[in-house]
Amino acid sequence: CCAIIPTLNHYKVLPDVIAGVSRHSLEIIIVDDGSDAEAGSQIQALHNPSEGVEVIRHDVNLGKGAALETGLARSVERGFTHALQVDADGQHDLDDISKLIDAAKSSPADLITAKPVYDESMPTARKIGRWFTHVWVWVETLSLSITDSMCGFRVYPVSQTLDVIRHEHVGKRMDFDTSIMVRLYWRGIDVVEIPSNVIYPAENTSNFQVVGDNIRITMMHTQLVFGMLTRLLTFRMRFRK
């Protein structure tokens, strides 16, 4: 397993995130998704292959999902079978990496994800928005087994994940985390949730685009609902045969 850290202008806490991941003896692939000049230079300075840190840069911003696809493809080139996704903004409890990795070792075919445990730092608007997505995911999967599909702290089986990305419609931006999880679930990949504390640092800068990303997420849920209905129809037709 390696770690993939997508980033857009998050460079102030990135050295701390790298240090936290490195404590678990994981090699790190950072994908700079078109950061501005100052942030980009700071991120590029972290490139240190001898210490297990590789930085890949997108010249223009392509989106979080596109950055993860780049990182996953690079992980295959380097011979990894699994990849830990970690956000670059310092929200995750990196001490829990060992729990995620242990779960992946026990269930290598599954998608292992953190189940966020929030404190009072979580904005109310985020709580409402996440609840909206949770409900739709329960509809799309016809299951309550996925309790949070938006947490960017998870371990992917790389080959199965890339196959979904390359053959199905998966979001390229903030709609990635939910769409890839639902589509992997549809393919029979079980989701294993590990409780983990998540904070919203006081100086955290969000890359979430209120209008654009909300539109993308709404379109994503529309596509997933129609996908679920199509799958139901196909199942009924096969059952009748």
Side-chain angles (χ1 to χ4, degrees):
C1 186
C2 67
I4 300 173
I5 307 176
T7 183
L8 173 62
N9 294 324
H10 283 118
Y11 66 92
K12 293 182 179 179
V13 298
L14 191 51
D16 294 334
V17 175
I18 291 171
V21 173
S22 296
R23 287 198 301 270
H24 299 271
S25 302
L26 295 178
E27 295 191 36
I28 299 169
I29 300 170
I30 299 171
V31 183
D32 177 4
D33 188 34
S35 295
D36 60 31
E38 179 184 0
S41 64
Q42 297 281 351
I43 294 168
Q44 187 60 43
L46 299 172
H47 180 76
N48 189 355
S50 65
E51 295 295 325
V53 180
E54 177 181 9
V55 176
I56 302 172
R57 176 173 170 80
H58 291 167
D59 290 332
V60 297
N61 175 250
L62 300 176
K64 179 182 181 181
L68 283 162
E69 181 178 357
T70 295
L72 289 166
R74 179 59 178 151
S75 74
V76 170
E77 294 173 354
R78 293 180 53 179
F80 294 104
T81 61
H82 291 73
L84 170 75
Q85 175 187 342
V86 182
D87 286 347
D89 55 7
Q91 290 188 351
H92 303 309
D93 185 350
L94 301 181
D95 290 338
D96 287 339
I97 288 176
S98 58
K99 298 178 184 178
L100 299 179
I101 297 297
D102 287 345
K105 288 179 179 179
S106 298
S107 304
D110 296 341
L111 172 60
I112 314 299
T113 184
K115 177 181 178 179
V117 179
Y118 295 103
D119 63 12
E120 64 279 0
S121 67
M122 184 182 189
T124 301
R126 292 291 184 91
K127 293 180 182 179
I128 296 172
R130 295 181 80 91
W131 179 252
F132 172 84
T133 282
H134 299 340
V135 172
W136 278 116
V137 167
W138 297 335
V139 172
E140 292 150 7
T141 59
L142 300 179
S143 168
L144 299 177
S145 60
I146 298 175
T147 63
D148 192 299
S149 65
M150 302 182 74
C151 184
F153 190 29
R154 53 179 67 165
V155 179
Y156 294 102
V158 174
S159 61
Q160 296 94 322
T161 304
L162 280 174
D163 190 64
V164 171
I165 291 172
R166 290 167 177 169
H167 294 96
E168 300 184 32
H169 182 81
V170 178
K172 297 295 185 183
R173 295 188 176 274
M174 293 297 186
D175 47 354
F176 175 84
D177 290 334
T178 295
S179 60
I180 190 64
M181 182 176 280
V182 169
R183 292 182 183 279
L184 282 168
Y185 185 86
W186 283 351
R187 287 195 175 199
I189 303 295
D190 288 333
V191 175
V192 177
E193 298 184 328
I194 307 294
S196 181
N197 293 326
V198 176
I199 62 171
Y200 281 78
E203 297 181 358
N204 181 54
T205 301
S206 175
N207 289 316
F208 189 86
Q209 299 174 7
V210 175
V211 176
D213 283 322
N214 275 319
I215 290 173
R216 292 185 190 97
I217 289 171
T218 299
M219 293 177 64
M220 171 198 70
H221 285 304
T222 301
Q223 292 167 346
L224 291 175
V225 167
F226 277 105
M228 176 272 293
L229 293 174
T230 300
R231 291 171 62 83
L232 271 181
L233 178 61
T234 302
F235 174 79
R236 290 187 62 186
M237 290 175 66
R238 289 175 179 174
F239 182 77
R240 287 172 180 174
K241 290 178 181 180

